[in-house]
Amino acid sequence: MSGGAFTRPTGVFYGWWIVGAGFLTQLMLGMLMFHSFGTYVALMQADFGWSRTTFSIAFAMQRAESGILGPIQGWAIDNYGPRIIMYAGMVLFAIGFIMLSFVQEIWIFYISFMLIAIGASLSSFLSLVVAVVNWFRRRRSFALGMLSMGFAVGGFAATPIALVIESIGWRTAAFASGVLVLVIGLPLARVVRHRPEDHGMLPDGAASYAELSDDPDDEGDEWGMSTRDALRTPAFWLISVGQAAALLVIGALMVHLVIYIHEDLGYSLALAAFAITVQTLGQIVGQLAGAYLGDRWPKRPLIVAALLGHGLAIFMLAIAPALLLVYFAVWINGTAWGLRAPLQMAIRADYFGRRSFGTIMGFSSLVIMSGMIIGPTFAGIMYDQTGSYRVSFLVLALFASAGALLFAFAGPPKASLRTQAPATVTHALMGTADTRAA
């Protein structure tokens, strides 16, 4: 279809409705599960007496399911669209939570978390990111930043949710969460659409492809590398392993931060949960910065700075147990997290295009999720062996800093440079890979 067949939409560009629905989806899932996981760990450990390694393994299983599912999910999204995938995910997520409310044995606990993991993977991150990457090109970093902010804003509910879970009991909270996902999540999934071209529109609401690519003769769709070619590039592996290094820290703190502050440092559960709120504030600041700067500044130096921030944050937690310093460390971690997250998605779209983005991102998740698996498991095992998180936090700080070095060398693939417009090649060689001609 030629560029002249499209017209500029009137009113609010539909891509922003997808961003809004994705924001609310991320908010709901972050609030109900990811930011509340530490509270469930503390209360369930008190009831059952299970070790911290037990809960670390559950979290690792949750992330492993997400990673293993990634290539299949990515292929399904590219071929069938994200909406039907999200429908299935919402149902599985709800079933997992309802099953969690009836847990008596550890094997049921693991099955419920496996269902929650599969449901969360199908209904949120990858499905939403693929949709937003398809609907935006010039403002891709900004749109991804707004989408990611939903997960961060959910962190504001960590303290009140912790109090609610503590007051009504984790079983009642889990059952109510499952019902809420069905009532709210399914209508939100209905809003999501795959590609603007399927609805007579172009990314960013443009009237022609030439408007998107800065090439007056461009009447073709955005370039995209095949999955096979992407897997052969050093950039794919450097970005994936670098992101996994960051998730070593994220995963460890998602599982162990609340219980570390509550039991090891001796503060109340509310003060421990407040650390999630502080981290969330930093995450929102970082996401706003990443959303604004990602379409204007080189992405790689910003991501490198974020990885170094993760390393500094968990290093501070290892050596500075005073509560105010803990809050400062999680603020740094949140800011780094928020800055890094949308830029990593945007730089992949810059390097590999959007035609097979879901499948490429799915294969990348196999590598990425190793960080979410290894980080909390390693921290849990080291705690059970030594009675302290110090050694594990110091080791994770070293690996996060090494991840910064990987991103520093993750230049754009030669294939993308040959295919992109001349002006973009100049930027890409400087490390910018401008999203306008991704």
Side-chain angles (χ1 to χ4, degrees), residues 21 36-37 43 63 89 103 108 133 146 250 258 275 302 315 336 346 387 390:
S36 301
F37 184 82
L43 295 177
R63 306 321 300 166
V103 163
I108 300 178
V133 163
M146 295 301 102
I250 297 297
V258 171
L302 294 172
F315 175 79
R390 175 166 292 189

PDB file of all heavy atoms in Angstrom, residues 21 36-37 43 63 89 103 108 133 146 250 258 275 302 315 336 346 387 390:
ATOM      1  N   ALA A  21      -4.108   2.123  27.873  1.00  0.00           N
ATOM      2  CA  ALA A  21      -4.546   0.804  28.337  1.00  0.00           C
ATOM      3  C   ALA A  21      -3.365  -0.004  28.863  1.00  0.00           C
ATOM      4  O   ALA A  21      -3.478  -0.716  29.869  1.00  0.00           O
ATOM      5  CB  ALA A  21      -5.238   0.056  27.200  1.00  0.00           C
ATOM      6  N   SER A  36       4.128  -6.332  45.375  1.00  0.00           N
ATOM      7  CA  SER A  36       3.597  -6.918  46.608  1.00  0.00           C
ATOM      8  C   SER A  36       4.248  -8.254  46.943  1.00  0.00           C
ATOM      9  O   SER A  36       3.938  -8.839  47.984  1.00  0.00           O
ATOM     10  CB  SER A  36       2.080  -7.121  46.466  1.00  0.00           C
ATOM     11  OG  SER A  36       1.428  -5.909  46.202  1.00  0.00           O
ATOM     12  N   PHE A  37       5.125  -8.736  46.067  1.00  0.00           N
ATOM     13  CA  PHE A  37       5.699 -10.059  46.267  1.00  0.00           C
ATOM     14  C   PHE A  37       6.435 -10.161  47.602  1.00  0.00           C
ATOM     15  O   PHE A  37       6.310 -11.153  48.320  1.00  0.00           O
ATOM     16  CB  PHE A  37       6.652 -10.397  45.115  1.00  0.00           C
ATOM     17  CG  PHE A  37       7.220 -11.786  45.187  1.00  0.00           C
ATOM     18  CD1 PHE A  37       6.495 -12.874  44.722  1.00  0.00           C
ATOM     19  CD2 PHE A  37       8.475 -12.015  45.725  1.00  0.00           C
ATOM     20  CE1 PHE A  37       7.009 -14.160  44.791  1.00  0.00           C
ATOM     21  CE2 PHE A  37       8.994 -13.292  45.801  1.00  0.00           C
ATOM     22  CZ  PHE A  37       8.264 -14.368  45.329  1.00  0.00           C
ATOM     23  N   LEU A  43       4.796 -12.716  54.935  1.00  0.00           N
ATOM     24  CA  LEU A  43       3.647 -13.289  55.642  1.00  0.00           C
ATOM     25  C   LEU A  43       3.564 -14.800  55.461  1.00  0.00           C
ATOM     26  O   LEU A  43       3.233 -15.533  56.408  1.00  0.00           O
ATOM     27  CB  LEU A  43       2.360 -12.620  55.148  1.00  0.00           C
ATOM     28  CG  LEU A  43       2.246 -11.121  55.461  1.00  0.00           C
ATOM     29  CD1 LEU A  43       0.969 -10.545  54.865  1.00  0.00           C
ATOM     30  CD2 LEU A  43       2.283 -10.875  56.965  1.00  0.00           C
ATOM     31  N   ARG A  63      10.003 -16.274  36.653  1.00  0.00           N
ATOM     32  CA  ARG A  63      10.720 -15.577  35.593  1.00  0.00           C
ATOM     33  C   ARG A  63      11.187 -16.554  34.515  1.00  0.00           C
ATOM     34  O   ARG A  63      11.269 -16.202  33.339  1.00  0.00           O
ATOM     35  CB  ARG A  63      11.924 -14.824  36.167  1.00  0.00           C
ATOM     36  CG  ARG A  63      11.592 -13.878  37.300  1.00  0.00           C
ATOM     37  CD  ARG A  63      10.293 -13.126  37.106  1.00  0.00           C
ATOM     38  NE  ARG A  63      10.284 -12.319  35.910  1.00  0.00           N
ATOM     39  CZ  ARG A  63       9.193 -11.789  35.378  1.00  0.00           C
ATOM     40  NH1 ARG A  63       8.013 -12.015  35.917  1.00  0.00           N
ATOM     41  NH2 ARG A  63       9.274 -11.053  34.287  1.00  0.00           N
ATOM     42  N   GLY A  89      -3.627 -14.527  28.791  1.00  0.00           N
ATOM     43  CA  GLY A  89      -2.783 -14.227  29.939  1.00  0.00           C
ATOM     44  C   GLY A  89      -3.569 -13.762  31.154  1.00  0.00           C
ATOM     45  O   GLY A  89      -3.282 -14.173  32.289  1.00  0.00           O
ATOM     46  N   VAL A 103      -3.430 -22.255  49.020  1.00  0.00           N
ATOM     47  CA  VAL A 103      -2.180 -22.999  49.201  1.00  0.00           C
ATOM     48  C   VAL A 103      -2.067 -23.562  50.621  1.00  0.00           C
ATOM     49  O   VAL A 103      -2.273 -22.845  51.618  1.00  0.00           O
ATOM     50  CB  VAL A 103      -0.970 -22.097  48.892  1.00  0.00           C
ATOM     51  CG1 VAL A 103       0.313 -22.705  49.465  1.00  0.00           C
ATOM     52  CG2 VAL A 103      -0.820 -21.906  47.389  1.00  0.00           C
ATOM     53  N   ILE A 108       1.648 -26.925  45.580  1.00  0.00           N
ATOM     54  CA  ILE A 108       0.553 -26.085  45.080  1.00  0.00           C
ATOM     55  C   ILE A 108       1.024 -24.638  44.967  1.00  0.00           C
ATOM     56  O   ILE A 108       0.649 -23.911  44.037  1.00  0.00           O
ATOM     57  CB  ILE A 108      -0.674 -26.186  46.012  1.00  0.00           C
ATOM     58  CG1 ILE A 108      -1.161 -27.632  46.073  1.00  0.00           C
ATOM     59  CG2 ILE A 108      -1.800 -25.285  45.517  1.00  0.00           C
ATOM     60  CD1 ILE A 108      -2.336 -27.845  46.994  1.00  0.00           C
ATOM     61  N   VAL A 133       5.590  -0.410  19.960  1.00  0.00           N
ATOM     62  CA  VAL A 133       6.645  -0.271  18.945  1.00  0.00           C
ATOM     63  C   VAL A 133       6.039  -0.170  17.550  1.00  0.00           C
ATOM     64  O   VAL A 133       6.511   0.600  16.703  1.00  0.00           O
ATOM     65  CB  VAL A 133       7.632  -1.459  19.035  1.00  0.00           C
ATOM     66  CG1 VAL A 133       8.471  -1.574  17.767  1.00  0.00           C
ATOM     67  CG2 VAL A 133       8.541  -1.298  20.249  1.00  0.00           C
ATOM     68  N   MET A 146       6.065   6.137  28.736  1.00  0.00           N
ATOM     69  CA  MET A 146       4.747   6.297  29.341  1.00  0.00           C
ATOM     70  C   MET A 146       4.129   4.934  29.669  1.00  0.00           C
ATOM     71  O   MET A 146       3.484   4.766  30.704  1.00  0.00           O
ATOM     72  CB  MET A 146       3.831   7.082  28.411  1.00  0.00           C
ATOM     73  CG  MET A 146       4.251   8.529  28.168  1.00  0.00           C
ATOM     74  SD  MET A 146       4.331   9.517  29.708  1.00  0.00           S
ATOM     75  CE  MET A 146       6.123   9.534  30.009  1.00  0.00           C
ATOM     76  N   ILE A 250      17.671  -6.097  39.979  1.00  0.00           N
ATOM     77  CA  ILE A 250      16.228  -5.898  40.090  1.00  0.00           C
ATOM     78  C   ILE A 250      15.569  -7.116  40.715  1.00  0.00           C
ATOM     79  O   ILE A 250      14.758  -7.009  41.648  1.00  0.00           O
ATOM     80  CB  ILE A 250      15.609  -5.612  38.703  1.00  0.00           C
ATOM     81  CG1 ILE A 250      16.165  -4.307  38.125  1.00  0.00           C
ATOM     82  CG2 ILE A 250      14.088  -5.560  38.799  1.00  0.00           C
ATOM     83  CD1 ILE A 250      15.834  -3.084  38.927  1.00  0.00           C
ATOM     84  N   VAL A 258      12.261  -6.153  50.923  1.00  0.00           N
ATOM     85  CA  VAL A 258      11.326  -5.938  52.043  1.00  0.00           C
ATOM     86  C   VAL A 258      11.719  -6.784  53.245  1.00  0.00           C
ATOM     87  O   VAL A 258      11.780  -6.285  54.378  1.00  0.00           O
ATOM     88  CB  VAL A 258       9.881  -6.241  51.599  1.00  0.00           C
ATOM     89  CG1 VAL A 258       8.938  -6.239  52.805  1.00  0.00           C
ATOM     90  CG2 VAL A 258       9.412  -5.206  50.579  1.00  0.00           C
ATOM     91  N   ALA A 275      10.140   1.482  51.299  1.00  0.00           N
ATOM     92  CA  ALA A 275      11.310   1.500  50.420  1.00  0.00           C
ATOM     93  C   ALA A 275      10.894   1.276  48.967  1.00  0.00           C
ATOM     94  O   ALA A 275      11.499   1.838  48.047  1.00  0.00           O
ATOM     95  CB  ALA A 275      12.314   0.435  50.850  1.00  0.00           C
ATOM     96  N   LEU A 302      23.184   6.689  27.956  1.00  0.00           N
ATOM     97  CA  LEU A 302      22.193   6.759  29.027  1.00  0.00           C
ATOM     98  C   LEU A 302      21.994   5.387  29.669  1.00  0.00           C
ATOM     99  O   LEU A 302      21.883   5.266  30.900  1.00  0.00           O
ATOM    100  CB  LEU A 302      20.862   7.277  28.477  1.00  0.00           C
ATOM    101  CG  LEU A 302      20.854   8.723  27.964  1.00  0.00           C
ATOM    102  CD1 LEU A 302      19.524   9.035  27.276  1.00  0.00           C
ATOM    103  CD2 LEU A 302      21.102   9.711  29.100  1.00  0.00           C
ATOM    104  N   PHE A 315      25.524  -1.952  45.891  1.00  0.00           N
ATOM    105  CA  PHE A 315      26.757  -1.829  46.686  1.00  0.00           C
ATOM    106  C   PHE A 315      26.485  -1.056  47.969  1.00  0.00           C
ATOM    107  O   PHE A 315      26.943  -1.443  49.060  1.00  0.00           O
ATOM    108  CB  PHE A 315      27.832  -1.125  45.860  1.00  0.00           C
ATOM    109  CG  PHE A 315      29.102  -0.850  46.615  1.00  0.00           C
ATOM    110  CD1 PHE A 315      30.034  -1.852  46.820  1.00  0.00           C
ATOM    111  CD2 PHE A 315      29.371   0.424  47.120  1.00  0.00           C
ATOM    112  CE1 PHE A 315      31.214  -1.599  47.522  1.00  0.00           C
ATOM    113  CE2 PHE A 315      30.534   0.685  47.820  1.00  0.00           C
ATOM    114  CZ  PHE A 315      31.463  -0.332  48.021  1.00  0.00           C
ATOM    115  N   ALA A 336      17.693   4.446  37.994  1.00  0.00           N
ATOM    116  CA  ALA A 336      18.406   3.693  36.959  1.00  0.00           C
ATOM    117  C   ALA A 336      17.453   2.767  36.217  1.00  0.00           C
ATOM    118  O   ALA A 336      17.506   2.649  34.978  1.00  0.00           O
ATOM    119  CB  ALA A 336      19.544   2.897  37.591  1.00  0.00           C
ATOM    120  N   ALA A 346      13.515   0.675  22.973  1.00  0.00           N
ATOM    121  CA  ALA A 346      13.623   1.569  21.817  1.00  0.00           C
ATOM    122  C   ALA A 346      14.880   1.276  21.005  1.00  0.00           C
ATOM    123  O   ALA A 346      14.858   1.311  19.766  1.00  0.00           O
ATOM    124  CB  ALA A 346      13.612   3.020  22.278  1.00  0.00           C
ATOM    125  N   GLY A 387      23.840 -16.229  56.496  1.00  0.00           N
ATOM    126  CA  GLY A 387      23.062 -15.393  57.411  1.00  0.00           C
ATOM    127  C   GLY A 387      23.145 -13.918  57.085  1.00  0.00           C
ATOM    128  O   GLY A 387      22.753 -13.068  57.893  1.00  0.00           O
ATOM    129  N   ARG A 390      25.326  -9.526  52.465  1.00  0.00           N
ATOM    130  CA  ARG A 390      26.422  -8.656  52.051  1.00  0.00           C
ATOM    131  C   ARG A 390      27.202  -9.214  50.866  1.00  0.00           C
ATOM    132  O   ARG A 390      27.431  -8.512  49.873  1.00  0.00           O
ATOM    133  CB  ARG A 390      27.365  -8.382  53.230  1.00  0.00           C
ATOM    134  CG  ARG A 390      28.600  -7.584  52.830  1.00  0.00           C
ATOM    135  CD  ARG A 390      29.346  -7.042  54.023  1.00  0.00           C
ATOM    136  NE  ARG A 390      28.556  -6.010  54.707  1.00  0.00           N
ATOM    137  CZ  ARG A 390      29.037  -5.237  55.681  1.00  0.00           C
ATOM    138  NH1 ARG A 390      30.282  -5.389  56.085  1.00  0.00           N
ATOM    139  NH2 ARG A 390      28.277  -4.346  56.252  1.00  0.00           N
TER     140      ARG A 390
END
